[in-house]
Each structure stands twice: as structure tokens, then as C-alpha cells.
Amino acid sequence: MRWWDQAYGWERETIWPRRLHLVAGGDAGGELERWRIVGRDAVVFPEVVAVADALLDPGMAELVWVDSGAGRPRALPADGMFCRRLGERVGRAWLGPLVATDHGGPLIAWMGAVIRKRRGAGGPPGYADDPWWVRREHQPVTMAGRLRVLGKEKRAPGSGRMWRAAVPPEQRAQISSLVDGAQEQLIQLRGAQTGSSADVSQHLLRILSHSADLIEKALQHTVVAAVNAGVPPQDVVRWAKLPPGPLADALKAYQDAGDG
């Protein structure tokens, strides 16, 4: 279901739009948002079955283990064999790299649980290590719930300033993905301080650097989303504690243009 929200930004995705229009009787037209809610389950059903079949395949779990570096832990690569093969199994060979970089999604969480279980390393206290456990924020919202939100946003005055109404779903999903991804990467550091100084240093620094990069990207995307949603740029700069640099300069120029 997470892919359904992200598909807005998949330029090469043609299957789901075609199916959605067929479900809508030929053309979703001006009711696209409503039909995306009503028709979602029917449109994505074949891919849901294909993904479930892949995750139950021991051979696919073995690919996850190999991608993780097996006995020599490393960050999951963007061109990993598991994600490439998964893309092929859902009929979209181009999807692999996109899936691999959805760092905070339920699929990456599943991969992380598989890796930790294979290594015999659990997560922090209270963290679920069951590969089939899905975080509440990753669980799909019911059709009724989405329709209620859609109706409320259309009726309420000034609803365009509400975050969910003002920020496109793919952009919200991207921010959540980056934040969750940083968390998932940091969890991989549990019990990592065993071994030679060189090995431990390399592992810690690589994952910490990758996590910091994800947080930096999440900050940038959130800043852009906030400004586009109508939040005053000077407030965005202050809340984000942005140091002097291209992003802060761009926001200042944006504010100056608005004042002029």
C-alpha cells in the first residue's frame, strides 16, 4: 500500500493508472482522488500477491542476507539482488532501485528483521524482531477512513493549509521514508562494537554517515514542503536552525521576492 502512495512519482508506472481508469469505468476524470481511495485494493491486488509470494520464498531471504554483506555487515546497496529480483517478480524491472532506497518503508524493515535474525542480533528493548510485524504507521488506512479525511478536507474552510491537504502524498511518504530509514540504519548498530578497531570503526562510521545523510535529506524535503504549504520562510529557517548556505539563501530570496 505504501507503493500506491509513492506511485504518483513513478514516471515509468503505467499499469496501475490503466487499471484504475478501468475500475472507474474508463476514466477517473475529476474524481481521481476519490477513485484512488475506492479502487486501491482492486488495482494493487496482483502485486500484493506477488510480493507476499516473494517474501515467503527462502531464496529471496537468502538474497537479503547476501546483500547485507553476510558475515561482513554493510549498508544495504541501492542495486541489491533482492530488490532487483523483487522488481522483476512484480513485472517492473525498473522498480528495484526505488524500493532499495525507500529506507523507512515496511519492506526495508522486513529486510532488517531478516538480517538481525540471521545474525542473532535483536533490536533494542521493545523493538519487534518478527519480520511480519508491521508498524502502526505502515499499516494501510481503511477506505472508509480515507474517504472521511477527503470529505473533511474538502468541506473545511482553509483546508488547503492542512499538512495532508497541502503536501502531496508522495512527498509525505518520502519524508517518512527518510526518517524511518535513518532509524532502521541506526538499529543495525546494536552490538556492532565487537571486533578489530578497523572493522568496528568502518562499520560504525559508514552507517552513522548514511543515517546523517538521510536525516539531512529529510530536513531538506520538509523545508521545501513547509514553504510550498504556505509556512513563512523565515519561520522555516528558524525552526530548522538552518546555517548559512544555499538552502537558507534560497528561502531568504523567496521571502524577499514575496515582500517586494
Side-chain angles (χ1 to χ4, degrees):
M1 299 305 179
R2 183 181 180 89
W3 290 359
W4 181 243
D5 288 334
Q6 294 174 332
Y8 262 129
W10 293 350
E11 295 181 359
R12 299 178 66 179
E13 177 57 44
T14 59
I15 299 173
W16 281 352
R18 184 167 61 249
R19 282 191 202 149
L20 180 61
H21 288 302
L22 288 174
V23 168
D27 185 5
E31 292 291 319
L32 180 61
E33 281 300 316
R34 179 178 176 277
W35 277 110
R36 277 185 57 81
I37 295 171
V38 175
R40 179 194 65 186
D41 294 351
V43 171
V44 304
F45 183 75
E47 285 73 22
V48 170
V49 173
V51 170
D53 182 62
L55 299 189
L56 291 169
D57 183 347
M60 293 293 284
E62 183 65 24
L63 293 181
V64 173
W65 176 241
V66 173
D67 285 340
S68 74
R72 297 182 63 84
R74 66 181 182 188
L76 291 170
D79 60 346
M81 292 185 293
F82 170 80
C83 289
R84 287 206 311 268
R85 182 64 185 128
L86 182 63
E88 293 168 359
R89 290 179 72 147
V90 297
R92 296 162 175 81
W94 49 266
L95 185 56
L98 296 179
V99 172
T101 54
D102 182 21
H103 302 289
L107 184 62
I108 298 295
W110 177 85
M111 295 168 69
V114 168
I115 294 167
R116 289 192 296 274
K117 184 176 181 180
R118 187 73 175 265
R119 290 181 181 153
Y127 191 85
D129 282 314
D130 179 0
W132 308 109
W133 176 77
V134 179
R135 299 176 185 174
R136 181 179 295 276
E137 61 268 27
H138 291 159
Q139 296 174 16
V141 180
T142 64
M143 176 171 48
R146 284 185 174 244
L147 287 173
R148 283 196 298 270
V149 171
L150 181 63
K152 181 178 179 181
E153 290 177 347
K154 285 186 174 181
R155 291 193 304 269
S159 61
R161 297 185 65 83
M162 296 169 60
W163 179 260
R164 287 185 58 85
V167 180
E170 68 274 14
Q171 197 169 18
R172 299 197 310 269
Q174 190 170 37
I175 293 170
S176 297
S177 171
L178 290 166
V179 173
D180 292 346
Q183 179 187 32
E184 185 66 33
Q185 286 291 313
L186 292 173
I187 288 171
Q188 302 299 325
L189 292 178
R190 180 175 174 81
Q193 300 186 47
T194 301
S196 71
S197 298
D199 287 344
V200 172
S201 298
Q202 182 185 60
H203 185 49
L204 287 172
L205 290 173
R206 281 182 173 176
I207 290 186
L208 286 171
S209 177
H210 186 43
S211 300
D213 183 53
L214 292 173
I215 290 297
E216 177 67 20
K217 288 180 179 177
L219 175 66
Q220 293 173 0
H221 282 289
T222 303
V223 165
V224 172
V227 172
N228 289 339
V231 179
Q234 68 271 23
D235 289 341
V236 173
V237 171
R238 177 165 51 86
W239 296 336
K241 297 181 178 179
L242 293 176
L247 186 58
D249 292 343
L251 289 175
K252 185 177 185 302
Y254 182 95
Q255 177 64 25
D256 291 342
D259 292 342

